[in-house]
Amino acid sequence: MELLLSVSIGVLVASGVYLVLRARTYPVLLGVTLLSYAVNLYLFASGRLTVASAPLIDQPLATYPDPLPQALVLTAIVIGFGMTAVLVVLALRAVVETGSDHVDGEQQ
Amino acid sequence: MSHWPVVPLLLPLLAGALALLLRPQSRAARVVGIAASVALVATSGVLLTMAWDGELQVYALGEWPAPFGIVLVVDRLSAAMVALTSVVALACVLYAVAGDDARGPYFHALFQFQLLGVNGAFLTGDLFNLFVFFEILLIASYTLLMHGHGVARTRAAVQVVALNLVGSALFLIAVGALYSVTGSLNMADLARLVATLPESDVGIARASALLLLVVFALKAAALPVGFWLPRTYAAAAAPVAALFAIMTKVGIYAIARLFTLVFGADAGPLAGIAAPWVVPAGIGTIAVAAAGALAATELRKLIGWMVMASVGTALIAVGQFSVDGLAAALFYAVHSTLVGAALFLIADLVRRQRAAVGTRLDASGQVRQPALLGGMFFVGAISACSLPPFSGFAGKVMVLEATLGGDLVTASWLALLVGGLVVTLSMARAGSALFWKSGSEPSTADPAPRLAVAAVVALLAASPALVVLGGPMSGYARDMALQLTDTRGYREAVLADTPPAAHRRDYR
């Protein structure tokens, strides 16, 4: 499971970085989205991976997954989603105003 | 427990929400904006007096004790930064009320949300909460940057948003890595845990620390990741650009806080991890900013480069991680924020009176009030260029003295002095182009609104005031630095109510 998770995060980050380095706003947007997916998975994993343990503490010494990273991921998802929405609107606006989807607003 | 530490967050939050409910661009929204900013200045005064005698105020939100809940911590540094923010904000709001706030909806609401983010970043004692407040100030700043619209603003905003989204991703990776080895996000608790990390986890914590440094350098606009600043600040509306003068200080504050408290002298294997990077970054930032200032053909870009040079100066001071260095950094940051904000407002007054050429640095347009604007520009430029008799000189001397004990003394002095000379030359050239060699055709623009001039004069007056009050100010800065380097006192104050360790999850 560790291998699968780390490979997924690695592939997401690599694709995200590649797309972020493109010169058009739409690939950059997708790249940022992939990066934020990778970050969410990574944050989730920072609480350690556990299988078949209780989601809540029912008795003092039972093993249970760390609830904090889940709260962090939730916060990060909300913030990341809002920020990505802002970027979408701005990128669309830039296309309308400059007539180009180049990140520097240059023509073809 | 006194409730004052949370007021600088609640006040802008409630005022911003109220301003959202009111009709946009209405008189009532203005009143709310001004009233909230005045109240914030008063609140920050209370916080300053509370912090003055050196006692840490720890405010546990929801009464959850640290490290389980989020705490706000008011020490001398936080109180000073909140006070600085509130003063700059009041001047910006007054300037905006003179006309700029009517160019788009919801200026005052967004402005208050931006203050919420900035104050939160200065006050929080929790690393993840710092991320959240960074995002609050960023999302408000994106929208404020677009205030008034225009192609230049849209272009600048797309770049800044994309850049900061990547920065946020790096921040979260760093936070996750640090949490995975320590199991805590409270800064005081992290300071305790980082010092006793087992050998196998030190590498992860080191990577996390350096990632955090990169993120804060991005916010501060330091060299490898700082090129967004001049273009963004030049594109923003004047009161927004002036408020942004505080945003680079958030990055510098975070470097000063995290790398003295968590990764400071007591951090065991990670002690002084930022030291080899911060001073060279500062030197490089000054070099690039000086070159940019020399090449600038537009006043607002020139001021943007100058703000970047001041970031470099503050970083050289912070990078010493000594009491003298941190004290100098605080004094210089206060000075450069106030003067930088004033210069952005002056540039806007110039732009309004040179309708055809705006702030382009050529001699073809006259301003309507050359004596007033030229005089204000002269004072601001002298102070910004660190020439006597204003506060820039005192600040720069403190920084120069502070570097004497550290590494890279020669390079730091060269950067500070030659960089200062180049910026002085650029400002002198800009001043003569705008006010001396200006063409013969008189300007028909309206004279500057009185309220706007008053806001600028108030910001400029802070510069001689910092010199007159130089004794108490540098004394406060020194006490602040002593408190900042006393990480044991900080840890004990924050973790005083922590329950016994038996209830904590063990990550080893």
Side-chain angles (χ1 to χ4, degrees):
Chain A
M1 190 164 67
E2 282 85 355
L3 187 67
L4 181 64
L5 189 77
S6 47
V7 167
S8 325
I9 295 176
V11 169
L12 279 173
V13 170
S15 324
V17 168
Y18 175 79
L19 288 172
V20 162
L21 296 176
R22 304 278 86 194
R24 306 276 155 199
T25 47
Y26 187 65
V28 170
L29 185 69
L30 284 184
V32 167
T33 314
L34 287 186
L35 269 184
S36 73
Y37 289 168
V39 165
N40 292 341
L41 280 176
Y42 180 80
L43 271 185
F44 191 69
S46 72
R48 302 292 188 272
L49 303 174
T50 50
V51 177
S53 52
L56 297 168
I57 312 173
D58 52 353
Q59 43 194 327
L61 292 173
T63 58
Y64 61 95
D66 189 349
L68 194 68
Q70 302 171 26
L72 300 187
V73 169
L74 203 59
T75 317
I77 290 173
V78 173
I79 291 177
F81 184 74
M83 291 291 176
T84 312
V86 171
L87 187 56
V88 172
V89 173
L90 279 176
L92 281 174
R93 219 194 149 89
V95 171
V96 172
E97 284 186 0
T98 63
S100 150
D101 64 347
H102 195 277
V103 285
D104 288 331
E106 287 164 9
Q107 299 304 319
Q108 300 293 341
Chain B
M1 188 166 66
S2 150
H3 286 281
W4 281 107
V6 80
V7 178
L9 307 185
L10 290 182
L11 198 64
L13 177 67
L14 297 177
L18 183 60
L20 268 185
L21 295 175
L22 298 168
R23 203 155 46 82
Q25 303 174 19
S26 65
R27 214 184 163 77
R30 283 184 171 177
V31 172
V32 168
I34 296 175
S37 302
V38 172
L40 188 61
V41 172
T43 309
S44 68
V46 173
L47 288 187
L48 261 185
T49 51
M50 281 165 63
W52 201 274
D53 58 5
E55 198 195 337
L56 277 174
Q57 302 282 332
V58 181
Y59 186 85
L61 291 166
E63 295 251 17
W64 286 87
F68 300 106
I70 290 169
V71 288
L72 303 178
V73 183
V74 183
D75 63 354
R76 290 196 180 102
L77 176 60
S78 301
M81 296 314 282
V82 170
L84 177 64
T85 309
S86 68
V87 170
V88 172
L90 180 59
C92 293
V93 165
L94 289 179
Y95 187 94
V97 166
D100 271 317
D101 61 347
R103 297 219 205 130
Y106 302 121
F107 175 86
H108 290 287
L110 291 165
F111 196 90
Q112 294 298 323
F113 291 140
Q114 166 104 55
L115 292 180
L116 165 68
V118 174
N119 286 342
F122 287 142
L123 288 173
T124 185
D126 184 280
L127 192 57
F128 194 80
N129 200 228
L130 181 67
F131 164 76
V132 173
F133 280 120
F134 267 8
E135 297 303 305
I136 293 176
L137 82 86
L138 283 174
I139 203 157
S141 76
Y142 303 152
T143 333
L144 275 178
L145 177 58
M146 291 295 293
H147 178 75
H149 299 308
V151 176
R153 281 174 196 165
T154 312
R155 274 185 200 166
V158 170
Q159 292 170 355
V160 170
V161 175
L163 198 59
N164 277 302
L165 278 173
V166 177
S168 303
L170 289 181
F171 198 158
L172 282 175
I173 291 172
V175 168
L178 205 52
Y179 181 80
S180 72
V181 292
T182 60
S184 183
L185 292 167
N186 181 284
M187 291 183 200
D189 202 31
L190 280 176
R192 185 177 66 82
L193 292 163
V194 158
T196 57
L197 277 181
E199 191 70 25
S200 56
D201 290 344
V202 168
I204 297 178
R206 178 175 294 133
S208 161
L210 291 175
L211 268 181
L212 285 174
L213 186 62
V214 172
V215 175
F216 298 150
L218 174 69
K219 313 287 173 198
L223 181 59
V225 284
F227 291 99
W228 56 270
L229 187 144
R231 196 177 183 177
T232 312
Y233 283 29
V240 177
L243 181 68
F244 281 7
I246 198 83
M247 296 232 299
T248 53
K249 273 61 185 185
V250 179
I252 295 171
Y253 162 85
I255 291 176
R257 172 72 76 199
L258 259 283
F259 292 95
T260 55
L261 176 61
V262 181
F263 306 107
D266 304 336
L270 296 172
I273 188 168
W277 305 100
V278 177
V279 174
I283 293 171
T285 308
I286 293 183
V288 169
L294 205 57
T297 54
E298 212 254 69
L299 181 59
R300 287 181 297 177
K301 278 228 174 86
L302 169 59
I303 300 169
W305 288 113
M306 207 203 65
V307 168
M308 201 167 154
S310 77
V311 167
T313 309
L315 280 181
I316 287 180
V318 168
Q320 310 299 323
F321 291 109
S322 63
V323 171
D324 285 341
L326 293 165
L330 177 71
F331 189 91
Y332 190 81
V334 170
H335 143 79
S336 67
T337 307
L338 293 167
V339 173
L343 280 173
F344 275 116
L345 298 182
I346 294 170
D348 187 59
L349 292 176
V350 169
R351 181 191 60 78
R352 289 193 205 176
Q353 298 193 0
R354 295 185 0 140
V357 282
T359 45
R360 224 168 57 223
L361 293 177
D362 58 20
S364 54
Q366 230 177 18
V367 293
R368 170 80 184 263
Q369 298 164 294
L372 176 69
L373 297 190
M376 294 196 301
F377 181 80
F378 190 59
V379 173
I382 285 184
S383 191
C385 298
S386 304
L387 299 175
F390 297 124
S391 56
F393 181 68
K396 200 107 171 212
V397 169
M398 283 175 79
V399 175
L400 285 170
E401 275 180 354
T403 56
L404 280 178
D407 303 331
L408 294 172
V409 182
T410 322
S412 303
W413 276 57
L414 263 179
L416 289 167
L417 296 176
V418 177
L421 178 68
V422 173
V423 172
T424 311
L425 281 177
S426 320
M427 292 300 270
R429 197 196 48 174
S432 64
L434 289 172
F435 301 109
W436 269 351
K437 292 191 275 187
S438 52
S440 53
E441 203 178 307
S443 166
T444 52
D446 295 332
R450 280 212 195 109
L451 196 56
V453 174
V456 178
V457 170
L459 282 176
L460 283 179
S463 188
L466 278 179
V467 177
V468 173
L469 301 174
M473 264 302 298
S474 55
Y476 182 87
R478 210 185 150 69
D479 289 345
M480 179 286 298
L482 283 171
Q483 190 180 42
L484 192 59
T485 45
D486 175 25
T487 56
R488 199 190 156 81
Y490 186 99
R491 291 206 305 262
E492 280 170 1
V494 173
L495 300 175
D497 300 328
T498 304
H503 298 288
R504 311 232 5 225
R505 194 180 168 83
D506 188 9
Y507 264 83
R508 309 285 154 73

